Structure formats: structure tokens, C-alpha cells
Amino acid sequence: MIKELIKNGESKTLEFKENITDSLINSVVAFANTTGGKILIGISDNGDVKGIDENNIFKAKDSLAQSIFDSITPKIIPEIYTINIDNKLILVIEIYPSNLKPYFISSKGVENSTYIRVGATNRLANKAIITELEREKLNISFDEEINLNYNLNELDLSPLIACF
């Protein structure tokens, strides 16, 4: 099954990394803010299975889990495991969807590091998208939101009153 995913390439829910890099955290945030996904470490951008160093795998898994947990707000607890493809070890980071959005990199703040997944890319969310993510967390839609810019006395309530 994983081989089929790799053959289809990167997508909204799948990203390849040849090595562990700093941009990995951006991808974790983007997946958490959209529909979740998997990051496969040891796969090149074009889908070639490179594998990772097997000697430090336990240390790498622990370090990744700690880095993700320490770097992102709200906290994310990813599932991190290994798989073997063509006798090469691949590290998988699986992020599940959640309603605690928006997720962001703690040290950079919400406006500078709230990423979303658009196709096979990570994009910095603008203020409108961040607001929508916050509404999702509260389980309210745009039309249910209270607009505090209007005074009740200034509204024409006659259509409502006519119903009663």
C-alpha cells in the first residue's frame, strides 16, 4: 500500500523528505491544520526510496517526537514508526486531524507560522484562514458568528417582529 502512495507522489496528505530537516515542523503544522497526513523520511522528492541510517533510528524517533512536541502549539503527539521498503528503512510521521486548530510554531507566533496544506505544498495561512481555523475549533460557521460592530438599537427588527 505504501508503495502505491509513493508511486502516486506527494499530495495533500503525503509528503516526502530525504532527510530530517527544519522544514519538517512546517509540514507537521500544515497537516495538523488540514486533514492530517503522513511524512515519509527516506524518500526523495521524485519518489526514489533512499532509506535512512538504521544505526540511530531509536534516537532519531525520540528526537523527532520531542522536537514536534516542544515546537508546536497546541501540542501534537504524532505517531512515529518505521517501515521497510525494498530492504531500506523509512521513517513515517503520521499526523491525525484534530479540532484544536490553529496549530503554529510556538517560537514564531500564530500569524507567522500557521501553515496549511494546499495540494502538495505548505502555505502560510493568512488572517482570514486563521480566523476560519479558530471558528472550526469552536464548531461555529461564519453566519453563526456574533458581529459586535452593530448595536441592536440600530437594526431594523420589524421583519422579525411581524412574524410574531
Side-chain angles (χ1 to χ4, degrees):
M1 178 165 152
I2 288 282
K3 279 187 171 185
E4 281 297 313
L5 288 175
I6 293 170
K7 191 163 60 168
N8 291 331
E10 292 184 313
S11 67
K12 184 177 182 181
T13 58
L14 183 66
E15 180 156 340
F16 304 148
K17 296 282 185 192
E18 200 163 325
N19 304 304
I20 297 172
T21 64
D22 290 341
S23 68
L24 182 89
I25 297 295
N26 297 352
S27 298
V28 172
V29 168
F31 283 132
N33 280 326
T34 50
T35 58
K38 293 179 183 176
I39 302 168
L40 304 180
I41 301 172
I43 308 288
S44 69
D45 283 341
N46 62 3
D48 291 336
V49 178
K50 303 288 187 180
I52 58 170
D53 180 17
E54 296 180 28
N55 295 326
N56 295 320
I57 192 62
F58 297 113
K59 184 177 178 182
K61 286 169 66 175
D62 288 345
S63 177
L64 263 173
Q66 190 69 37
S67 178
I68 290 168
F69 188 81
D70 290 345
S71 302
I72 300 171
T73 301
K75 298 298 182 198
I76 293 176
I77 302 172
E79 187 171 345
I80 301 174
Y81 54 94
T82 57
I83 56 173
N84 192 312
I85 300 175
D86 301 331
N87 293 319
K88 295 178 183 169
L89 197 62
I90 303 301
L91 190 61
V92 179
I93 303 171
E94 193 160 354
I95 307 300
Y96 299 102
S98 166
N99 290 331
L100 298 176
K101 303 168 186 172
Y103 290 91
F104 60 94
I105 300 169
S106 307
S107 63
K108 296 181 179 180
V110 69
E111 288 187 12
N112 297 319
S113 64
T114 300
Y115 292 93
I116 57 170
R117 195 79 176 161
V118 179
T121 64
N122 301 326
R123 299 285 186 222
L124 190 61
N126 62 23
K127 191 161 182 65
I129 292 172
I130 293 169
T131 301
E132 182 60 30
L133 291 171
E134 289 169 345
R135 273 196 290 274
E136 279 183 42
K137 176 172 54 178
L138 299 173
N139 199 26
I140 59 172
S141 63
F142 175 77
D143 57 348
E144 294 176 305
E145 196 167 48
I146 297 172
N147 188 338
L148 300 174
N149 294 327
Y150 287 97
N151 184 337
L152 186 59
N153 296 331
E154 296 173 7
L155 295 176
D156 179 14
L157 300 177
S158 58
L160 286 173
I161 295 169
C163 293
F164 295 103

